[in-house]
Amino acid sequence: MREQPNLNYIKELSGGDKAFEEKFMSIVKTEFPIEKEEYLSYLEKKDYKTTSEIVHKMKHKFSILGMQQGYKLAVEYEENLKKDSVTLQDNFLIVLQTIERYIKTF
């Protein structure tokens, strides 16, 4: 079974404040699709330096959404991109799709 996003960390941060949780998820819901599109665009251009910078930003959302394996994958993928290697690209895309499906539920 693949790792699934969750709100455990956000709920812990909020201390039960539902408005905080909703605002936090609203930010993720707004930023994530933009970052994903940027990622795909720079990847297609083979601008791996910029792609690695976008992966760097995105990986923190993985952690916030409780995806520790996804975070570790992003760290490794980011380093690969810095070496002009797209190894792990397919696995990274699976994580992106998983998060995308999850945030659409809000």
Short mmCIF file of all heavy atoms in Angstrom, two decimals, residues 30-43 51 54-55 57-58 61-62 92-101 103-104:
data_model
loop_
_atom_site.label_atom_id
_atom_site.label_comp_id
_atom_site.label_asym_id
_atom_site.label_seq_id
_atom_site.Cartn_x
_atom_site.Cartn_y
_atom_site.Cartn_z
N THR A 30 -3.94 25.97 -2.75
CA THR A 30 -3.65 27.02 -3.72
C THR A 30 -2.25 26.86 -4.31
O THR A 30 -2.06 26.96 -5.53
CB THR A 30 -3.77 28.41 -3.06
OG1 THR A 30 -5.11 28.57 -2.57
CG2 THR A 30 -3.45 29.52 -4.04
N GLU A 31 -1.27 26.63 -3.46
CA GLU A 31 0.13 26.59 -3.89
C GLU A 31 0.50 25.31 -4.64
O GLU A 31 1.27 25.36 -5.60
CB GLU A 31 1.07 26.75 -2.69
CG GLU A 31 1.05 28.11 -2.08
CD GLU A 31 1.98 28.24 -0.88
OE1 GLU A 31 2.58 27.22 -0.44
OE2 GLU A 31 2.11 29.36 -0.37
N PHE A 32 0.00 24.19 -4.19
CA PHE A 32 0.45 22.91 -4.74
C PHE A 32 0.24 22.78 -6.25
O PHE A 32 1.18 22.41 -6.96
CB PHE A 32 -0.20 21.73 -4.00
CG PHE A 32 0.29 20.41 -4.48
CD1 PHE A 32 1.50 19.90 -4.03
CD2 PHE A 32 -0.43 19.67 -5.41
CE1 PHE A 32 1.99 18.68 -4.49
CE2 PHE A 32 0.04 18.45 -5.87
CZ PHE A 32 1.25 17.96 -5.41
N PRO A 33 -0.95 23.08 -6.78
CA PRO A 33 -1.13 22.94 -8.24
C PRO A 33 -0.19 23.86 -9.04
O PRO A 33 0.30 23.47 -10.10
CB PRO A 33 -2.59 23.33 -8.46
CG PRO A 33 -3.25 23.17 -7.14
CD PRO A 33 -2.20 23.45 -6.12
N ILE A 34 0.07 25.04 -8.53
CA ILE A 34 0.98 25.97 -9.20
C ILE A 34 2.39 25.39 -9.22
O ILE A 34 3.06 25.39 -10.26
CB ILE A 34 0.95 27.35 -8.52
CG1 ILE A 34 -0.43 27.98 -8.68
CG2 ILE A 34 2.05 28.26 -9.07
CD1 ILE A 34 -0.68 29.18 -7.79
N GLU A 35 2.83 24.90 -8.07
CA GLU A 35 4.17 24.32 -7.98
C GLU A 35 4.29 23.09 -8.87
O GLU A 35 5.33 22.87 -9.50
CB GLU A 35 4.51 23.99 -6.53
CG GLU A 35 4.71 25.23 -5.68
CD GLU A 35 4.81 24.94 -4.20
OE1 GLU A 35 4.56 23.80 -3.77
OE2 GLU A 35 5.15 25.88 -3.46
N LYS A 36 3.23 22.29 -8.92
CA LYS A 36 3.26 21.09 -9.77
C LYS A 36 3.41 21.48 -11.23
O LYS A 36 4.21 20.89 -11.96
CB LYS A 36 2.01 20.25 -9.57
CG LYS A 36 2.02 18.97 -10.41
CD LYS A 36 0.76 18.16 -10.26
CE LYS A 36 0.82 16.97 -11.22
NZ LYS A 36 -0.47 16.40 -11.46
N GLU A 37 2.66 22.47 -11.66
CA GLU A 37 2.76 22.93 -13.06
C GLU A 37 4.15 23.49 -13.36
O GLU A 37 4.70 23.23 -14.43
CB GLU A 37 1.68 23.96 -13.36
CG GLU A 37 0.30 23.36 -13.51
CD GLU A 37 0.22 22.24 -14.55
OE1 GLU A 37 0.72 22.42 -15.67
OE2 GLU A 37 -0.33 21.19 -14.22
N GLU A 38 4.70 24.27 -12.44
CA GLU A 38 6.06 24.79 -12.62
C GLU A 38 7.05 23.64 -12.72
O GLU A 38 7.93 23.64 -13.58
CB GLU A 38 6.46 25.69 -11.44
CG GLU A 38 5.76 27.02 -11.42
CD GLU A 38 6.14 27.83 -10.19
OE1 GLU A 38 6.68 27.28 -9.20
OE2 GLU A 38 5.86 29.04 -10.22
N TYR A 39 6.91 22.67 -11.84
CA TYR A 39 7.78 21.50 -11.84
C TYR A 39 7.75 20.83 -13.21
O TYR A 39 8.79 20.57 -13.82
CB TYR A 39 7.35 20.52 -10.74
CG TYR A 39 7.88 19.13 -10.94
CD1 TYR A 39 9.20 18.83 -10.64
CD2 TYR A 39 7.07 18.12 -11.48
CE1 TYR A 39 9.71 17.54 -10.86
CE2 TYR A 39 7.56 16.85 -11.69
CZ TYR A 39 8.88 16.56 -11.38
OH TYR A 39 9.38 15.31 -11.60
N LEU A 40 6.55 20.54 -13.71
CA LEU A 40 6.41 19.85 -14.99
C LEU A 40 6.97 20.68 -16.14
O LEU A 40 7.61 20.15 -17.05
CB LEU A 40 4.94 19.49 -15.25
CG LEU A 40 4.35 18.44 -14.30
CD1 LEU A 40 2.85 18.34 -14.50
CD2 LEU A 40 5.03 17.10 -14.47
N SER A 41 6.77 21.97 -16.08
CA SER A 41 7.25 22.87 -17.14
C SER A 41 8.78 22.89 -17.21
O SER A 41 9.36 22.74 -18.28
CB SER A 41 6.71 24.28 -16.90
OG SER A 41 7.26 25.18 -17.82
N TYR A 42 9.41 23.06 -16.06
CA TYR A 42 10.88 23.11 -16.06
C TYR A 42 11.49 21.74 -16.33
O TYR A 42 12.56 21.64 -16.94
CB TYR A 42 11.41 23.70 -14.74
CG TYR A 42 11.26 25.20 -14.72
CD1 TYR A 42 10.24 25.81 -14.01
CD2 TYR A 42 12.12 26.01 -15.45
CE1 TYR A 42 10.08 27.18 -14.01
CE2 TYR A 42 11.97 27.38 -15.46
CZ TYR A 42 10.95 27.96 -14.74
OH TYR A 42 10.80 29.33 -14.75
N LEU A 43 10.81 20.69 -15.91
CA LEU A 43 11.29 19.35 -16.21
C LEU A 43 11.26 19.11 -17.71
O LEU A 43 12.23 18.60 -18.28
CB LEU A 43 10.41 18.31 -15.49
CG LEU A 43 10.83 16.86 -15.63
CD1 LEU A 43 12.19 16.62 -14.97
CD2 LEU A 43 9.77 15.96 -14.99
N THR A 51 14.23 22.90 -11.69
CA THR A 51 13.35 21.81 -11.27
C THR A 51 13.71 21.36 -9.86
O THR A 51 12.82 21.14 -9.03
CB THR A 51 13.45 20.62 -12.25
OG1 THR A 51 13.16 21.08 -13.57
CG2 THR A 51 12.48 19.52 -11.89
N ILE A 54 12.30 23.71 -7.29
CA ILE A 54 10.86 23.53 -7.10
C ILE A 54 10.60 22.29 -6.24
O ILE A 54 9.77 22.32 -5.33
CB ILE A 54 10.14 23.44 -8.46
CG1 ILE A 54 10.28 24.78 -9.20
CG2 ILE A 54 8.67 23.07 -8.28
CD1 ILE A 54 9.93 24.72 -10.67
N VAL A 55 11.32 21.22 -6.51
CA VAL A 55 11.20 20.01 -5.69
C VAL A 55 11.54 20.34 -4.24
O VAL A 55 10.86 19.88 -3.31
CB VAL A 55 12.09 18.87 -6.23
CG1 VAL A 55 12.15 17.70 -5.25
CG2 VAL A 55 11.58 18.40 -7.59
N LYS A 57 11.06 23.13 -2.65
CA LYS A 57 9.91 23.81 -2.05
C LYS A 57 8.77 22.82 -1.78
O LYS A 57 8.13 22.89 -0.73
CB LYS A 57 9.37 24.92 -2.96
CG LYS A 57 10.24 26.13 -3.03
CD LYS A 57 9.56 27.31 -3.70
CE LYS A 57 8.92 27.00 -5.02
NZ LYS A 57 8.40 28.18 -5.74
N MET A 58 8.55 21.94 -2.72
CA MET A 58 7.42 21.01 -2.61
C MET A 58 7.60 19.99 -1.50
O MET A 58 6.62 19.57 -0.87
CB MET A 58 7.20 20.30 -3.94
CG MET A 58 6.79 21.20 -5.07
SD MET A 58 6.57 20.29 -6.60
CE MET A 58 4.84 19.86 -6.42
N LYS A 61 5.83 20.39 1.81
CA LYS A 61 4.40 20.08 1.85
C LYS A 61 4.19 18.58 2.07
O LYS A 61 3.25 18.17 2.73
CB LYS A 61 3.72 20.54 0.56
CG LYS A 61 3.57 22.05 0.48
CD LYS A 61 2.87 22.47 -0.76
CE LYS A 61 2.72 23.97 -0.82
NZ LYS A 61 3.97 24.72 -0.83
N PHE A 62 5.08 17.76 1.52
CA PHE A 62 4.99 16.31 1.73
C PHE A 62 5.07 16.02 3.22
O PHE A 62 4.29 15.23 3.75
CB PHE A 62 6.12 15.57 1.02
CG PHE A 62 6.14 15.70 -0.48
CD1 PHE A 62 5.24 16.47 -1.18
CD2 PHE A 62 7.10 15.03 -1.20
CE1 PHE A 62 5.28 16.57 -2.56
CE2 PHE A 62 7.16 15.11 -2.58
CZ PHE A 62 6.24 15.88 -3.26
N PHE A 92 8.37 10.17 -8.08
CA PHE A 92 8.01 11.50 -7.62
C PHE A 92 6.64 11.90 -8.17
O PHE A 92 5.81 12.45 -7.45
CB PHE A 92 9.08 12.52 -8.02
CG PHE A 92 8.89 13.87 -7.41
CD1 PHE A 92 9.20 14.12 -6.09
CD2 PHE A 92 8.40 14.92 -8.17
CE1 PHE A 92 9.02 15.37 -5.52
CE2 PHE A 92 8.22 16.18 -7.62
CZ PHE A 92 8.54 16.40 -6.30
N LEU A 93 6.40 11.59 -9.42
CA LEU A 93 5.12 11.92 -10.04
C LEU A 93 3.97 11.19 -9.35
O LEU A 93 2.88 11.76 -9.17
CB LEU A 93 5.15 11.60 -11.54
CG LEU A 93 3.96 12.11 -12.35
CD1 LEU A 93 3.78 13.61 -12.20
CD2 LEU A 93 4.14 11.76 -13.81
N ILE A 94 4.20 9.97 -8.93
CA ILE A 94 3.17 9.22 -8.19
C ILE A 94 2.82 9.94 -6.89
O ILE A 94 1.65 10.07 -6.54
CB ILE A 94 3.63 7.77 -7.92
CG1 ILE A 94 3.65 6.98 -9.23
CG2 ILE A 94 2.73 7.08 -6.88
CD1 ILE A 94 4.34 5.63 -9.14
N VAL A 95 3.84 10.44 -6.19
CA VAL A 95 3.60 11.19 -4.96
C VAL A 95 2.79 12.45 -5.26
O VAL A 95 1.82 12.77 -4.55
CB VAL A 95 4.92 11.54 -4.24
CG1 VAL A 95 4.67 12.45 -3.05
CG2 VAL A 95 5.65 10.28 -3.80
N LEU A 96 3.15 13.16 -6.33
CA LEU A 96 2.42 14.37 -6.70
C LEU A 96 0.95 14.05 -7.00
O LEU A 96 0.05 14.78 -6.56
CB LEU A 96 3.05 15.03 -7.92
CG LEU A 96 4.45 15.60 -7.76
CD1 LEU A 96 4.90 16.28 -9.06
CD2 LEU A 96 4.55 16.55 -6.59
N GLN A 97 0.72 12.98 -7.71
CA GLN A 97 -0.66 12.60 -8.05
C GLN A 97 -1.44 12.21 -6.80
O GLN A 97 -2.63 12.54 -6.67
CB GLN A 97 -0.65 11.46 -9.07
CG GLN A 97 -0.14 11.89 -10.42
CD GLN A 97 0.18 10.71 -11.34
OE1 GLN A 97 0.39 9.59 -10.90
NE2 GLN A 97 0.24 11.00 -12.63
N THR A 98 -0.79 11.54 -5.88
CA THR A 98 -1.43 11.15 -4.63
C THR A 98 -1.86 12.38 -3.84
O THR A 98 -2.99 12.46 -3.34
CB THR A 98 -0.47 10.27 -3.78
OG1 THR A 98 -0.13 9.11 -4.53
CG2 THR A 98 -1.11 9.86 -2.46
N ILE A 99 -0.97 13.36 -3.75
CA ILE A 99 -1.29 14.59 -3.02
C ILE A 99 -2.39 15.36 -3.75
O ILE A 99 -3.32 15.88 -3.12
CB ILE A 99 -0.03 15.44 -2.82
CG1 ILE A 99 0.91 14.76 -1.83
CG2 ILE A 99 -0.40 16.85 -2.32
CD1 ILE A 99 2.26 15.41 -1.68
N GLU A 100 -2.28 15.42 -5.05
CA GLU A 100 -3.28 16.14 -5.84
C GLU A 100 -4.68 15.57 -5.60
O GLU A 100 -5.64 16.32 -5.39
CB GLU A 100 -2.91 16.07 -7.31
CG GLU A 100 -3.76 16.93 -8.22
CD GLU A 100 -3.21 16.94 -9.63
OE1 GLU A 100 -2.93 15.86 -10.19
OE2 GLU A 100 -3.05 18.05 -10.16
N ARG A 101 -4.80 14.26 -5.61
CA ARG A 101 -6.10 13.63 -5.36
C ARG A 101 -6.58 13.96 -3.94
O ARG A 101 -7.76 14.23 -3.72
CB ARG A 101 -6.02 12.12 -5.54
CG ARG A 101 -6.08 11.66 -6.98
CD ARG A 101 -6.27 10.16 -7.11
NE ARG A 101 -5.24 9.37 -6.46
CZ ARG A 101 -4.07 9.04 -7.03
NH1 ARG A 101 -3.79 9.43 -8.24
NH2 ARG A 101 -3.20 8.31 -6.37
N ILE A 103 -5.82 16.58 -1.92
CA ILE A 103 -6.23 17.97 -1.66
C ILE A 103 -7.53 18.33 -2.38
O ILE A 103 -8.20 19.27 -1.98
CB ILE A 103 -5.12 19.00 -1.96
CG1 ILE A 103 -4.74 19.02 -3.43
CG2 ILE A 103 -3.93 18.77 -1.06
CD1 ILE A 103 -3.74 20.10 -3.80
N LYS A 104 -7.89 17.55 -3.39
CA LYS A 104 -9.17 17.79 -4.06
C LYS A 104 -10.35 17.41 -3.19
O LYS A 104 -11.48 17.78 -3.47
CB LYS A 104 -9.24 17.04 -5.39
CG LYS A 104 -8.40 17.69 -6.47
CD LYS A 104 -8.51 16.95 -7.77
CE LYS A 104 -7.66 17.65 -8.83
NZ LYS A 104 -7.67 16.93 -10.10
#
